[in-house]
Amino acid sequence: MSGGLPGFHNAPVSKAVVVAAALFSVAFGFRGRYRDLGLSYENVYGKLRVWRLTTSLFAFSSTPELIFGAALLYYFRVFERQIGSNKYAVFIVFSTMVSVMLQILSLGYLKDPSLNPLTSGPYGLIFASYVPFFFDIPISTKFRIFGLRLSDKSFIYLAGLQLLFSSGRYSIIPGLSGILAGLLYRLNIFGIRRLKLPDSTTSLFSRLPWPFSNHSYQRLPITESDGNIPSNQVHQTEASICILSLIGSIPASCSSMLMLLREYC
């Protein structure tokens, strides 16, 4: 199940999510519709717009959110490798659906026009992934910066905080909804952790003709001084390069998506 974007070996579902988020975000960004992508009380309880549910799940509201969100999704692909693509796909569906339901219930309970619309993007999946990240990923290194005791996990938490407060209270509700969804999955509600999709379903993601699957990528040349660099920093650098190269390759592939989405916008 390799091929396509580097670093997504044995993680085709994660690759599909990152590509979908990037495509939707850039496509709607070209049309200047960032502000109209999220859920709002009027769109949910007033005018039911199904396409708004789709854009709220994938398209980020701004370029910084896209960069941070795509990098976190890329990092959390480790969970797909741990539990397998079949179970990870169930985790994605469960966390996304529960997060959206919690957001809709929050809008209906608050009925606050100032919260319209909530920020869009796969916040449910991202912040649900912080639950297994907190419980299952051990700390490998600890260090001090300006007297503060930090670890290699601190940078992932800081990136999550940046994303959580990126749009103020507009992004806090989707983020907290994702955390609650992750906790429910952790508690194995309704035996959700035992479910998995058939192999034939998840194998489709590895065979999809991605628009930039032929995008070349070369590792940075290794020098003698690189031997002193911790391996986790090397992996983080390569992850950043991969995400930036992905985002840089998207504009050439967005024209077809724009035509598909034109009738809904």
Side-chain angles (χ1 to χ4, degrees):
M1 290 187 292
S2 60
L5 297 176
F8 284 107
H9 179 66
N10 288 336
V13 179
S14 298
K15 178 173 66 174
V17 173
V18 173
V19 170
L23 282 175
F24 272 86
S25 300
V26 175
F28 280 96
F30 285 156
R31 297 181 62 88
R33 302 296 298 273
Y34 275 143
R35 297 295 182 184
D36 300 331
L37 302 181
L39 298 176
S40 64
Y41 180 84
E42 179 183 358
N43 293 326
V44 174
Y45 294 94
K47 302 176 181 179
L48 181 60
R49 298 177 179 177
V50 179
W51 68 268
R52 187 65 64 91
L53 293 175
T54 303
T55 59
S56 67
L57 296 180
F58 292 103
F60 285 99
S61 301
S62 65
T63 301
E65 292 178 32
L66 170 60
I67 295 175
F68 278 95
L72 288 172
L73 290 171
Y74 178 84
Y75 178 86
F76 289 141
R77 78 200 186 284
V78 64
F79 299 126
E80 180 177 358
R81 294 172 176 171
Q82 288 179 349
I83 65 177
S85 299
N86 300 340
K87 288 189 175 182
Y88 187 70
V90 174
F91 172 75
I92 292 177
V93 174
F94 177 83
S95 60
T96 300
M97 292 181 61
V98 172
S99 175
V100 170
M101 290 177 60
L102 292 175
Q103 293 180 51
I104 292 175
L105 291 176
S106 299
L107 290 172
Y109 176 76
L110 296 175
K111 297 181 180 179
D112 187 356
S114 63
L115 286 176
N116 298 334
L118 298 176
T119 189
S120 61
Y123 276 69
L125 173 59
I126 292 174
F127 286 95
S129 301
Y130 271 98
V131 176
F133 175 76
F134 176 80
F135 288 104
D136 300 333
I137 301 298
I139 295 176
S140 58
T141 57
K142 295 182 179 181
F143 51 90
R144 286 181 175 270
I145 296 180
F146 302 114
L148 298 176
R149 299 183 60 182
L150 303 175
S151 68
D152 55 327
K153 297 177 64 174
S154 300
F155 298 104
I156 305 300
Y157 287 125
L158 290 175
L161 288 175
Q162 168 65 29
L163 194 62
L164 181 64
F165 296 102
S166 59
S167 300
R169 56 182 179 173
Y170 302 100
S171 56
I172 291 178
I173 292 180
L176 293 180
S177 299
I179 294 176
L180 290 176
L183 290 173
L184 291 176
Y185 184 87
R186 181 80 180 185
L187 294 174
N188 197 23
I189 184 173
F190 303 126
I192 187 66
R193 298 180 67 176
R194 295 195 301 267
L195 300 180
K196 61 179 182 180
L197 294 182
D199 294 334
S200 58
T201 303
T202 55
S203 62
L204 291 175
F205 294 103
S206 60
R207 296 198 298 266
L208 287 176
W210 302 112
F212 19 78
S213 58
N214 296 325
H215 181 69
S216 60
Y217 171 82
Q218 296 180 352
R219 294 173 60 93
L220 292 177
I222 300 177
T223 62
E224 296 181 357
S225 60
D226 293 334
N228 299 325
I229 301 177
S231 59
N232 64 322
Q233 294 184 12
V234 175
H235 294 322
Q236 292 174 359
T237 302
E238 293 180 356
S240 301
I241 295 174
C242 176
I243 294 300
L244 291 176
S245 63
L246 162 64
I247 296 174
S249 304
I250 292 172
S253 307
C254 286
S255 57
S256 59
M257 174 165 286
L258 286 174
M259 297 188 64
L260 291 175
L261 296 174
R262 182 174 301 171
E263 58 179 313
Y264 299 105
C265 302

